[in-house]
Amino acid sequence: MTTKSKKDQVPEQTSADFSGLVPVSKGSRVYLIDGSGYIFRAFHALPPLTRPSDGLPVGAVHGFCQMLWKFLRETKASEAPTHMGVIFDAGRETFRNEIYPKYKAQRPPPPEELIPQFPLIRDAVRAFNVACIELDGYEADDLIATYARMAVDVGGDVTIVSSDKDLMQLVRPGVTMFDGMKSKRIGRDEVIEKFGVPPEKVVDVQSLAGDSIDNVPGVPGIGIKTAAELIAAYGDLDSLLAHAGEIKQPKRREKLIEFAEQARISRSLVLLKDDVVLATAIEALGVRDPHVDALLAFLRAMEFNTLTKRIAVGLGAEVPPPLAVSVGASVKAPPQQAKTRDLETIEEAAPVEASPAAAVAAGAAIARAEGVDRSKYEAVTTRARLEDWICRAREAGRVAFDTETTDLNAVDAELVGLSLAIASGEACYVPLGHTGPSGDLFGGEDNRPQQLDAEEALALLRPLLEDPSVLKIGQNIKYDMLVMKRRGIEIAPFDDTMLLSYALDGGRGQHGMDALAERHLGHMCMTFAQAMGHAPGAKKSDKTFAAMPLDKATEYAAEDADVTMRLWMTLKPRLAAEHMTTVYETLERPLVPVIVGMEHAGIKVDRDILSRLSNTFAQRTVRLEEEINGLVGHKFNLGSPKQLGELLFDRLKLPGGKKTKSGQWETRANLLDDLAANEELDGDARRLINTMLEWRQMTKLKSTYTDALPAYINAETGRIHTSYALGATTTGRLASSDPNLQNIPIRTKEGREIRTAFIADKGMKLVSADYSQIELRVLAHVADIPQLKKAFAEGLDIHAMTASEMFGVPIKDMPAEVRRRAKAINFGIIYGISAFGLANQLGISREEAGDYIKTYFQRFPGIRDYMDATKKQVHAHGHVETIFGRRIHYPEINTKNPSMRGFLERAAINAPIQGSAADIIRRAMIRMPAALKIAKLPSAKMLLQVHDELVFEVADSDASALIKTACRVMETAAEPAVKLSVPIHVDAKAADNWDEAH
DNA sequence: ATCGTGGCATA
DNA sequence: GTATGCCACGATG
């Protein structure tokens, strides 16, 4: 086993021992590569390139890989670097924006094609096994300055690979720059040539000259030439400004006096910070050999055929076979050499079929090679052992991570322990908060098992969890991110096996770990009950993870991390092979931190309002109950549909009774409504039914909402923190639970009262922004229905238009009933209409409903075409797609059971419509935090999503600005990936509570 | 305690 | 007719 041999080389485990870390000392040759510079150059200097199979833009990734490979080869041969790192800018906002808000403010956002390539390029760096470094709040240049200083301090030799003039201030003895494009060293002389002053005065010159690209103001009218002249004459900026009055030229003198402060601000912007507190130690930059398999798999997945071969040959590795190629993948990069062409031809000739691609097979094979052996897991209880695991995670560049807590609800959960896995079968558990076997109030303390102090362990783990060069892999990592966020740790970068499965296999089953382990690894995970069964504690409620003995906890927890790592190895390669990278990278993964923020924020709820409503509902319930008992003459359980059905249809022999499939009398509200409308009924029976309906409404509102919600108010925050499931629905919608805040009543007056309990904090407003008719608009677009598109373009009442088109009634003074029918039909269309369902909905005969549908199809023939095409597609391929490429599978679609098939066909018709709408709001949500930041709305927080509605909380004074930004983001969310052929409209309103805001 | 069923809240 | 989650009941273990 690799673990063993590695450990064998390290006889002692002490806190100072970081196997794999290489200290920097005299003679070290440290290479710091300006990653962002590389990216932009790769992007702009090279022609655009898209991945043949799915059109994902990958030009910058390709150029970057090419440049990095060339650089690695050349320097390895000539200069033998000892340390190397690629350093990236982390985000738009840095500490410089605090000094000067306009810094880099006018810089346009990166081109759309470049955005999905940023994470891929980081993946590439990791695959090359080069340290991949970034830090929130700092520019790459500051990190480079810091590493350079550290290296020089101990006598190392630094090369900064960049041609950015902003880095020239760092040149000094021991530090040179290298322009990879021109293959030219930049030393002291070259800096003097560029700036007219030596490197140590570059900052002074830049402070005067400013920089229009970065929006560094400088002093107007002074460029590099003049600045250099002045600095040469006066020595430095401060002396110059002190003696500004002595300057001969009047214009120059006045400007220097007037803009002295601006020059000083400019200096603080230009001066690089060389004492950043780093997340990645410089020792971790030690040069390592590439991960050959990972690198080649990555290049294959990107479909860089020539580059894959070139690098495979360069590494002396076997050229991996190409991935399974789909129909559209015949376009290949032209071969560059005769020799390459031969290889290409051989590859083309090789049989390529729909079987799993080589990378996929390889990943799955490793994941399954050895069965899960719980006895091999380690319980980590010493600092030294934890440091060893962290170190190995760093070396591997990735780690599966899982937390164990006291509660399934992440905002209430207390951390009990966490597990790590570095490779298949290599996993450990770090207990932190176990109470021990007799976990009662009195004896618990003494029985606490020996374990690391939580604070100490987290302090060691934080740099790993936040290390941009180590990928953290989780299963439903949203949960772990929330738990860690509450301890001040932001996990990044990450992958989520649940979301990988969701993107790949939506509709093919559940995406929980147990289901995935069984499906992909043939492994049955230990259940919580199994592990817990061995713990003492009479009451179920006592059985939290904290009480579990360490041996069982280790088996259970480490297995989770092990299985997660194996699932990642199985699923991640499929992403590229099955062309789901764009879906995962643009619709799934980026949503996780957004949801984490929303769940963390929660929404304020007024306990008193709910309690008052509960009382009102209780009183009304009692009165209704008395009335019903009086009418019936004896007591029965009103909440039992069985008893009610027997009363109405067996004893009172009321007409129109229908049975459910289990033989019970049906007593749904719909049916009771019809029953009450029946002329044959006497007054008492009618009163009974109507009272019963009212009783049901009252008890529903009370039990599901006003009684249940207060229990969810978090004691610390006073707010309700719902949980959003990201992989629960087949269509791409989110699901809300614990509590479900996506089904808070709105239709009835009494129900809507409940919404008044959802309030904004003091000095704040709630803003609700909702898409108008989003699904019908999507339908108009995907089915290409001219009348619908025209109606939306003109802002007409869409249901009235439908009614007018179908029944020939003028829109003006249209009877409400006519419009209601048209509305029902419109919804029916979205749901994959059937005469049976429409008849049910409208309370008309099946024949009449069938006629409506016929008329509808005559007036809008495109709808029938769309439905037929969708059915054809799903039968032929077993899946349908949203407009953004999300796939929804229907593996059972060809079932012989006709009613089942009908159901699946309707679901398949609905899925692209509901799913595309879900994707649109996902895109809006993903963009929202950055948009709020740019719009300078730090008080605004997104709190809730209700399928076509987003709820925000914002300072009173910013409400109207938020409405503007939120609407813009939501209305343009489909772009630029898809330009809809209908306008998208969003309504938004601010108020003190959710009822008034909606 | 846990499960299936009926019923009902939302988009 | 689509997509969810939660409640109470009543039968099961």
Side-chain angles (χ1 to χ4, degrees):
Chain A
M1 262 285 357
T2 55
T3 327
K4 199 146 187 212
S5 61
K6 217 171 269 168
K7 273 188 215 158
D8 289 346
Q9 295 164 11
V10 183
E12 279 180 47
Q13 300 290 344
T14 71
S15 63
D17 167 41
F18 280 102
S19 53
L21 299 190
V22 185
V24 176
S25 61
K26 193 160 162 46
S28 294
R29 288 171 301 280
V30 181
Y31 281 72
L32 304 170
I33 300 167
D34 171 17
S36 301
Y38 250 53
I39 291 181
F40 284 95
R41 202 182 291 175
F43 181 73
H44 289 111
L46 300 165
L49 173 71
T50 54
R51 184 160 61 181
S53 57
D54 63 354
L56 178 76
V58 289
V61 183
H62 185 259
F64 189 94
C65 289
Q66 219 165 11
M67 287 158 74
L68 187 57
W69 170 244
K70 176 166 172 272
F71 179 79
L72 290 173
R73 270 180 78 104
E74 288 174 356
T75 52
K76 189 173 184 183
S78 62
E79 296 160 71
T82 60
H83 294 75
M84 187 176 294
V86 180
I87 296 144
F88 295 99
D89 294 316
R92 288 181 75 95
E93 297 281 319
T94 70
F95 71 93
R96 290 188 174 81
N97 295 96
E98 286 166 29
I99 302 173
Y100 187 69
K102 283 192 264 178
Y103 178 69
K104 292 198 175 176
Q106 86 314 349
R107 186 170 280 202
E112 176 78 16
E113 313 89 85
L114 192 48
I115 292 169
Q117 303 193 59
F118 288 122
L120 293 173
I121 286 168
R122 285 158 173 81
D123 284 346
V125 175
R126 285 189 279 271
F128 275 103
N129 204 11
V130 172
C132 174
I133 290 156
E134 63 192 298
L135 187 62
D136 228 33
Y138 295 98
E139 293 181 54
D141 291 359
D142 298 305
L143 304 180
I144 291 173
T146 303
Y147 283 117
R149 181 199 42 83
M150 292 168 89
V152 171
D153 282 353
V154 293
D157 206 43
V158 176
T159 303
I160 296 168
V161 184
S162 173
S163 53
D164 189 341
K165 63 179 175 8
D166 296 340
L167 285 163
M168 290 187 181
Q169 59 180 275
L170 299 175
V171 171
R172 73 192 83 158
V175 180
T176 54
M177 289 175 66
F178 180 75
D179 181 341
M181 216 56 166
K182 298 181 191 148
S183 287
K184 192 180 107 184
R185 282 250 161 217
I186 301 169
R188 192 177 168 85
D189 293 343
E190 287 76 17
V191 175
I192 295 175
E193 190 182 316
K194 166 97 188 163
F195 278 101
V197 293
E200 61 272 15
K201 300 200 181 208
V202 163
V203 169
D204 299 287
V205 169
Q206 286 184 294
S207 320
L208 287 171
D211 184 331
S212 58
I213 293 166
D214 291 348
N215 228 17
V216 173
V219 174
I222 296 186
I224 288 193
K225 276 245 169 80
T226 318
E229 216 174 279
L230 289 166
I231 293 299
Y234 290 85
D236 59 41
L237 183 68
D238 286 324
S239 316
L240 168 67
L241 294 176
H243 297 99
E246 302 164 10
I247 288 173
K248 301 270 166 23
Q249 300 90 329
K251 260 267 171 60
R252 207 174 275 181
R253 182 174 61 233
E254 282 159 29
K255 292 280 184 204
L256 277 169
I257 293 168
E258 185 184 349
F259 293 100
E261 189 50 33
Q262 193 167 301
R264 289 196 186 92
I265 290 172
S266 299
R267 180 170 54 186
S268 62
L269 295 176
V270 168
L271 182 65
L272 297 179
K273 192 169 161 57
D274 67 0
D275 56 356
V276 176
V277 180
L278 297 166
T280 311
I282 191 166
E283 289 80 16
L285 272 56
V287 167
R288 300 160 296 215
D289 286 330
H291 290 300
V292 178
D293 294 345
L295 178 56
L296 295 178
F298 175 83
L299 297 167
R300 264 291 174 235
M302 289 293 109
E303 298 169 23
F304 302 151
N305 293 326
T306 311
L307 197 58
T308 308
K309 268 167 277 178
R310 197 191 304 154
I311 292 180
V313 170
L315 293 170
E318 211 168 299
V319 178
L323 303 176
V325 178
S326 63
V327 197
S330 53
V331 190
K332 296 268 169 174
Q336 298 183 346
Q337 300 164 352
K339 205 172 172 189
T340 324
R341 187 197 303 270
D342 291 344
L343 284 166
E344 200 94 47
T345 319
I346 292 163
E347 272 186 20
E348 302 284 6
V352 219
E353 47 194 34
S355 72
V360 177
I366 301 169
R368 297 190 65 140
E370 276 182 60
V372 170
D373 179 357
R374 297 185 189 114
S375 68
K376 281 179 26 189
Y377 300 141
E378 176 184 345
V380 172
T381 56
T382 67
R383 190 185 166 96
R385 291 304 306 140
L386 180 56
E387 279 171 343
D388 180 56
W389 279 94
I390 291 172
C391 189
R392 284 161 53 207
R394 277 233 160 78
E395 258 172 36
R398 57 177 178 246
V399 58
F401 173 73
D402 188 38
T403 55
E404 301 300 338
T405 68
T406 54
D407 202 318
L408 277 171
N409 186 332
V411 279
D412 300 324
E414 289 308 322
L415 191 61
V416 174
L418 42 87
S419 45
L420 306 174
I422 283 158
S424 181
E426 266 182 73
C428 71
Y429 176 59
V430 189
L432 298 172
H434 285 257
T435 52
S438 77
D440 63 305
L441 282 171
F442 308 103
E445 277 306 302
D446 295 342
N447 290 318
R448 276 174 59 93
Q450 198 238 315
Q451 56 197 319
L452 274 167
D453 174 64
E455 289 307 320
E456 182 186 1
L458 289 177
L460 289 175
L461 281 160
R462 172 199 295 273
L464 177 75
L465 296 176
E466 297 185 344
D467 186 340
S469 65
V470 180
L471 180 70
K472 272 67 66 175
I473 302 160
Q475 161 71 20
N476 189 20
I477 203 168
K478 180 200 79 173
Y479 182 90
D480 310 282
M481 286 172 88
L482 258 168
V483 170
M484 298 313 282
K485 188 188 181 89
R486 286 174 45 233
R487 320 230 22 164
I489 294 174
E490 305 272 348
I491 296 173
F494 68 90
D495 254 338
D496 189 329
T497 48
M498 183 184 79
L499 296 181
L500 287 169
S501 171
Y502 190 55
L504 290 164
D505 294 325
R508 284 178 173 153
Q510 297 301 296
H511 310 282
M513 188 164 69
D514 297 356
L516 293 180
E518 211 177 324
R519 205 180 313 151
H520 299 292
L521 309 173
H523 172 71
M524 300 286 287
C525 287
M526 194 181 201
T527 66
F528 183 77
Q530 264 174 328
M532 210 63 219
H534 301 263
K539 275 186 292 172
K540 178 84 183 179
S541 56
D542 285 351
K543 294 193 172 184
T544 85
F545 203 87
M548 198 186 285
L550 280 202
D551 53 346
K552 277 290 153 202
T554 301
E555 289 185 17
Y556 176 87
E559 177 187 54
D560 279 3
D562 183 10
V563 166
T564 302
M565 177 56 87
R566 292 172 193 244
L567 288 173
W568 184 82
M569 292 192 292
T570 309
L571 296 172
K572 188 71 192 268
R574 283 183 53 202
L575 213 50
E578 295 170 32
H579 317 307
M580 284 295 126
T581 307
T582 307
V583 168
Y584 177 73
E585 290 293 347
T586 63
L587 296 171
E588 310 291 351
R589 196 170 69 155
L591 190 59
V592 176
V594 178
I595 298 290
V596 165
M598 292 168 67
E599 292 187 15
H600 186 73
I603 184 164
K604 192 171 179 186
V605 173
D606 187 329
R607 195 184 286 276
D608 295 339
I609 293 178
L610 292 176
S611 138
R612 240 179 287 137
L613 283 169
S614 269
N615 284 333
T616 314
F617 295 151
Q619 283 171 23
R620 289 182 62 178
T621 305
V622 169
R623 272 209 298 279
L624 295 164
E625 204 159 336
E626 282 165 359
E627 189 176 340
I628 290 165
N629 284 331
L631 284 166
V632 176
H634 65 91
K635 294 193 172 180
F636 75 105
N637 189 345
L638 308 202
S640 167
K642 187 163 175 282
Q643 291 183 34
L644 179 67
E646 282 159 8
L647 171 69
L648 295 178
F649 301 111
D650 285 337
R651 304 226 348 252
L652 301 177
K653 302 259 186 287
L654 299 184
K658 279 193 234 169
K659 296 240 175 141
T660 67
K661 58 171 175 279
S662 66
Q664 264 192 57
W665 290 110
E666 199 182 325
T667 64
R668 292 187 293 97
N670 223 331
L671 187 133
L672 294 190
D673 270 336
D674 290 350
L675 194 55
N678 192 320
E679 300 289 337
E680 295 170 37
L681 252 58
D682 65 39
D684 276 358
R686 185 166 292 129
R687 270 223 299 160
L688 170 62
I689 289 162
N690 283 327
T691 316
M692 195 63 224
L693 284 168
E694 208 181 324
W695 183 90
R696 281 218 181 131
Q697 200 206 348
M698 286 305 125
T699 50
K700 171 80 178 177
L701 294 178
K702 185 168 181 290
S703 67
T704 308
Y705 301 105
T706 58
D707 284 353
L709 287 173
Y712 286 99
I713 300 177
N714 184 289
E716 278 170 53
T717 63
R719 298 165 76 97
I720 291 186
H721 305 261
T722 183
S723 175
Y724 287 103
L726 288 84
T729 71
T730 44
T731 53
R733 275 190 175 183
L734 305 182
S736 157
S737 68
D738 312 291
N740 181 356
L741 294 187
Q742 289 179 325
N743 70 346
I744 302 301
I746 192 164
R747 280 169 221 235
T748 67
K749 187 164 109 335
E750 291 85 356
R752 202 158 53 227
E753 286 274 301
I754 293 165
R755 293 196 168 218
T756 63
F758 290 79
I759 56 175
D761 212 338
K762 249 204 202 86
M764 311 282 281
K765 287 268 185 277
L766 287 186
V767 168
S768 161
D770 66 300
Y771 283 106
S772 150
Q773 308 284 10
I774 181 85
E775 292 189 353
L776 275 176
R777 288 175 202 257
V778 167
L779 174 71
H781 171 82
V782 297
D784 195 21
I785 311 298
Q787 300 101 307
L788 286 181
K789 293 207 281 195
K790 182 158 174 282
F792 280 125
E794 293 171 3
L796 298 183
D797 174 339
I798 201 71
H799 301 311
M801 186 285 291
T802 307
S804 147
E805 189 89 12
M806 275 188 67
F807 307 118
V809 184
I811 290 181
K812 195 169 175 302
D813 300 323
M814 174 177 291
E817 177 57 24
V818 174
R819 184 178 178 278
R820 189 181 77 87
R821 293 191 174 198
K823 184 175 174 181
I825 296 168
N826 275 335
F827 277 105
I829 296 296
I830 292 174
Y831 299 153
I833 204 152
S834 78
F836 181 84
L838 184 64
N840 242 338
Q841 175 70 29
L842 285 175
I844 57 177
S845 73
R846 193 114 47 107
E847 289 71 34
E848 208 178 341
D851 288 344
Y852 280 1
I853 295 170
K854 219 173 180 182
T855 313
Y856 192 98
F857 283 158
Q858 272 164 11
R859 307 303 303 177
F860 306 98
I863 298 278
R864 164 169 269 167
D865 295 342
Y866 167 73
M867 290 184 163
D868 290 344
T870 306
K871 279 193 225 173
K872 215 170 148 193
Q873 148 82 26
V874 71
H875 280 291
H877 300 104
H879 65 80
V880 292
E881 280 182 15
T882 68
I883 53 178
F884 301 99
R886 173 193 300 283
R887 278 192 183 169
I888 298 133
H889 299 269
Y890 292 92
E892 304 289 328
I893 188 69
N894 288 310
T895 173
K896 296 263 181 335
N897 179 341
S899 70
M900 171 92 140
R901 203 173 58 236
F903 171 76
L904 292 174
E905 283 171 351
R906 289 191 299 275
I909 288 169
N910 171 256
I913 303 167
Q914 188 184 115
S916 297
D919 288 347
I920 290 173
I921 197 166
R922 275 178 180 247
R923 289 170 63 95
M925 293 170 75
I926 288 164
R927 288 181 191 174
M928 199 61 74
L932 297 178
K933 208 166 184 182
I934 290 167
K936 296 280 163 0
L937 288 165
S939 75
K941 276 206 176 83
M942 189 157 55
L943 307 184
L944 303 179
Q945 189 251 42
V946 193
H947 309 308
D948 64 358
E949 173 191 11
L950 293 174
V951 177
F952 302 82
E953 189 174 39
V954 64
D956 283 330
S957 54
D958 289 339
S960 58
L962 168 67
I963 286 174
K964 237 177 106 188
T965 299
C967 288
R968 193 195 68 236
V969 170
M970 289 170 77
E971 287 175 347
T972 58
E975 300 167 30
V978 173
K979 179 67 192 153
L980 290 171
S981 52
V982 288
I984 294 294
H985 185 251
V986 171
D987 296 301
K989 208 159 109 189
D992 293 320
N993 66 61
W994 195 6
D995 180 34
E996 287 166 38
H998 190 80

